[in-house]
Amino acid sequence: MLKLCGFHLSNYHNKVRIALLEKGVQFEEDPNCSPSQKDEWLARSPIGKVPILELDGGRRIAESEVICEYLEDAYPQKPLLPKDPYERAKVRELITFVELHLELVARRLYGPLFFGGRPLSDDAKQAVEKDLLKGVRALKTLAKFSPYLAGPELTLADCAAFVSLPLVTLVTKKAFGRDFLEDVPQVKPYLKMLGERPAFAKVKEDLKGAQAAAVAQAKEKAAST
């Protein structure tokens, strides 16, 4: 049986988990794996990141999008990519813009905002703001919201958007005082709609539980120092 290894705070782990649940693929989960450069983990994940998917016979796949593509090929019964090559490419395009041009740009601020990292210089923060606004503009151009991100059918783009767009909202509110995604008014009702699907709701519920546990652990650690 497949085993998904990662942790519930990871949006990329959660993207794969939603895809597995939506496709109805049976799998086990180890939600206690975190990024590491220790030899034991590097033997399973070449660059030390999560998630990874473990298959029978000691086979493994790393990187969330590669895992999702594997699932589409190996379990085609309930597809999350269209049959038409152009439409498939447009779904992949949306995933790239959501992850590369929005979430990974916002991620530059995770350290100073959430983990006590060194504050960015004004120039660096302005560069993040500029790049995020470009990403939001692109999303507004590419997304269809009819009702799903790429059109009338649920796709991998929705799995990616559901776990990454809320992080963009969180970061931009905290760093810049407003939600940049308010420039795309369809986003809020779209995410609400997705959250009503059982697979998405389950992953969100587990994320909230993991967040609460992390906050409690941080408070406990602070109290003991």
Side-chain angles (χ1 to χ4, degrees):
M1 183 180 290
L2 302 179
K3 179 185 283 189
L4 178 64
C5 304
F7 63 110
H8 288 163
L9 289 174
S10 165
N11 52 315
Y12 293 101
H13 176 88
N14 288 338
K15 176 182 81 169
V16 175
R17 191 166 172 235
I18 290 172
L20 283 161
L21 291 169
E22 282 289 347
K23 290 177 74 65
V25 176
Q26 289 191 337
F27 69 101
E28 298 176 349
E29 184 183 18
D30 182 353
N32 300 307
C33 299
S34 55
S36 173
Q37 293 299 302
K38 293 182 179 179
D39 290 343
E40 181 181 358
W41 181 244
L42 289 173
R44 298 167 67 190
S45 174
I47 205 165
K49 298 198 302 181
V50 297
I52 62 167
L53 186 70
E54 296 189 329
L55 290 69
D56 293 339
R59 298 173 296 162
R60 300 183 180 92
I61 303 172
E63 293 294 335
S64 66
E65 194 55 28
V66 178
I67 294 170
C68 287
E69 293 280 348
Y70 166 77
L71 294 174
E72 282 298 292
D73 291 338
Y75 302 92
Q77 295 84 355
K78 189 176 179 183
L80 291 174
L81 285 174
K83 290 183 179 179
D84 179 77
Y86 174 76
E87 296 301 331
R88 290 171 77 92
K90 295 302 287 184
V91 170
R92 291 170 174 137
E93 180 183 50
L94 277 165
I95 295 169
T96 299
F97 274 85
V98 166
E99 294 183 346
L100 182 62
H101 298 297
L102 281 170
E103 195 276 333
L104 286 175
V105 176
R107 190 172 286 254
R108 297 182 210 164
L109 295 176
Y110 288 7
L113 288 179
F114 307 123
F115 303 113
R118 180 182 300 177
L120 292 183
S121 67
D122 288 343
D123 287 346
K125 187 175 177 181
Q126 287 173 7
V128 171
E129 180 179 19
K130 180 179 178 181
D131 287 345
L132 278 172
L133 289 172
K134 287 163 61 178
V136 170
R137 182 187 66 202
L139 179 68
K140 192 172 184 177
T141 299
L142 293 171
K144 293 183 178 179
F145 299 110
S146 60
Y148 298 106
L149 205 65
E153 301 294 334
L154 183 81
T155 69
L156 290 174
D158 301 297
C159 302
F162 186 74
V163 298
S164 288
L165 294 183
L167 293 171
V168 177
T169 289
L170 180 65
V171 166
T172 54
K173 278 185 175 180
K174 196 169 182 66
F176 304 106
R178 75 176 186 93
D179 178 5
F180 285 7
L181 289 176
E182 287 182 350
D183 294 346
V184 190
Q186 302 97 320
V187 166
K188 281 188 178 180
Y190 160 73
L191 293 176
K192 182 177 184 296
M193 175 198 66
L194 288 181
E196 293 169 354
R197 297 179 68 93
F200 288 78
K202 172 60 176 171
V203 169
K204 186 175 182 178
E205 179 185 357
D206 289 343
L207 169 62
K208 287 182 176 179
Q211 289 171 332
V215 169
Q217 186 178 24
K219 288 181 178 178
E220 183 179 346
K221 183 178 181 181
S224 64
T225 57

